[in-house]
Amino acid sequence: MKNTVLTLQKQKDEKNKITMLTAYDFSTARLIDEAGIEMILVGDSLGMTMLGYEDTLQVTMEDMIHHSRAVSRGVKDTFVVCDMPFMSYQVSVEDAVRNAGRLIKEGMANAVKLEGGVSVAPQIKAIVDASIPVCAHIGMTPQSVNAMGGFKVQGKGEDAAKRLIDDALAVEGAGAFMVVLECVPEKLATLITEKLSIPTIGIGAGAGCDGQVLVYQDMCNMFGGHQAKFVKHFGEIGEEMKKAFASYSKEVKAGSFPAKEHTYKIDDDVIEAAEEYCNKPEFINKVGNKTGEIELNIKKMLDSISR
């Protein structure tokens, strides 16, 4: 059954935890869908996980649309949320609505996600008024990493905790159907979850949220190295992939792959006819002429480079 904003709200109401993972391509999305995960986030984290950037700030609308379309083609039941990238909604309400519409129309997403609380409530309201579901994102918001001075836990002090509560109430009041809480102390995230009627999705916010989200490369330990405290490895896929790649290389170099069972047969009379064709003078002349043309083209290219 296709997950919708209504089925996700019902899960909160019935205290049935919501599962969410990131995905950025067709094949991963299909696997996540078949595993029964309710939601996929096409996160701007693709800047780091797929494009090799240091942060999310360089990700464009075209990047998000491209990956969202791929993911959306891979799912049947999973609800797809697509991130609005940096500066696609901050400048004006008009920009926010236009770009959200592109992610739905061109990116084939079911909903959009944007970062911020009170400050982006007008954008959320306008997008929702355009009949586009919005997932909010408060707490540690990666697009604000420079303003925050790094990736830090949010809401630990009294004033900061009150601001987070105000942000949560503001995005709910603006019409968001869900809110992500990132790097928020567990007790504060639980309190916010209890005060909101919409579902909360935690990432580094404890088990008191209505659901959880992780970057799938993190939970599969595909990169290794330092990872956030809230990440748990549910598989060692990175090591398994490296082993598979190394085994492939070893067998290719040894000549054991491809083996007979990996190849296609041809009738002996057909290959004999092909060999006979290759031995005819007209074929030999054709190959010789082609080789001469290739050598001439290479010479011209080298001459042009030297000039």
Side-chain angles (χ1 to χ4, degrees):
M1 182 181 72
K2 178 68 178 180
N3 290 281
T4 68
V5 292
L6 296 180
T7 63
L8 296 167
Q9 180 63 51
K10 185 178 180 183
Q11 284 188 244
K12 176 185 174 78
D13 297 340
E14 296 179 351
K15 300 188 184 304
N16 179 15
K17 296 289 189 179
I18 300 167
T19 56
M20 186 183 204
L21 286 172
T22 63
Y24 317 99
D25 62 88
F26 172 85
S27 56
T28 304
R30 187 171 65 178
L31 292 173
I32 289 174
D33 183 81
E34 291 174 353
I37 302 297
E38 284 100 7
M39 302 181 72
I40 282 177
L41 172 63
V42 185
D44 58 3
S45 49
L46 67 84
M48 295 171 285
T49 61
M50 305 299 288
L51 303 178
Y53 299 149
E54 291 186 359
D55 51 42
T56 65
L57 303 182
Q58 300 175 64
V59 177
T60 66
M61 276 293 297
E62 285 65 34
D63 292 332
M64 297 309 305
I65 290 169
H66 174 82
H67 288 272
S68 182
R69 285 181 67 85
V71 166
S72 296
R73 289 192 292 265
V75 303
K76 178 182 177 184
D77 297 325
T78 305
F79 188 88
V80 177
V81 179
C82 186
D83 262 340
M84 298 192 70
F86 182 59
M87 297 308 293
S88 68
Y89 58 93
Q90 288 95 336
V91 175
S92 70
V93 169
E94 183 180 349
D95 277 351
V97 175
R98 182 186 301 108
N99 287 320
R102 289 191 66 195
L103 294 177
I104 300 298
K105 186 178 179 65
E106 300 174 49
M108 300 167 59
N110 301 125
V112 300
K113 181 173 77 64
L114 53 84
E115 297 179 4
V118 172
S119 64
V120 295
Q123 286 94 322
I124 293 174
K125 183 179 185 306
I127 295 170
V128 172
D129 285 347
S131 300
I132 298 172
V134 175
C135 175
H137 182 160
I138 62 175
M140 204 290 289
T141 48
Q143 292 178 13
S144 304
V145 61
N146 290 327
M148 289 182 171
F151 298 100
K152 300 178 180 180
V153 177
Q154 301 297 306
K156 295 185 74 172
E158 183 176 337
D159 290 342
K162 289 178 181 178
R163 283 196 298 273
L164 266 183
I165 293 171
D166 288 342
D167 282 338
L169 293 174
V171 298
E172 180 182 54
F177 78 96
M178 179 176 285
V179 58
V180 170
L181 306 177
E182 181 168 0
C183 291
V184 175
E186 181 175 21
K187 290 183 179 179
L188 178 58
T190 300
L191 175 62
I192 291 173
T193 299
E194 292 170 350
K195 297 303 178 183
L196 295 183
S197 60
I198 60 174
T200 61
I201 302 294
I203 177 166
C209 297
D210 296 306
Q212 298 293 324
V213 61
L214 282 176
V215 172
Y216 91 86
Q217 287 96 335
D218 288 343
M219 57 91 70
C220 288
N221 196 19
M222 293 179 67
F223 294 132
H226 173 74
Q227 290 183 324
K229 179 181 180 180
F230 55 78
V231 172
K232 177 180 177 179
H233 298 152
F234 289 83
E236 298 296 330
I237 309 303
E239 283 302 315
E240 290 301 314
M241 290 176 72
K242 284 191 285 186
K243 288 178 184 178
F245 298 153
S247 294
Y248 165 76
S249 176
K250 182 179 179 180
E251 291 193 18
V252 169
K253 293 180 184 299
S256 58
F257 177 83
K260 290 293 183 184
E261 62 266 27
H262 307 122
T263 58
Y264 300 100
K265 295 181 180 179
I266 189 171
D267 291 340
D268 289 342
D269 57 343
V270 175
I271 195 65
E272 288 173 4
E275 289 174 345
E276 183 179 341
Y277 170 71
C278 290
N279 290 326
K280 290 183 176 181
E282 58 266 32
F283 178 81
I284 295 172
N285 291 334
K286 186 188 298 185
V287 172
N289 292 336
K290 193 68 176 177
T291 302
E293 290 176 8
I294 294 173
E295 291 175 348
L296 181 61
N297 289 335
I298 292 174
K299 185 178 184 303
K300 288 180 178 178
M301 180 183 69
L302 292 175
D303 288 343
S304 65
I305 293 173
S306 64
R307 287 196 296 268

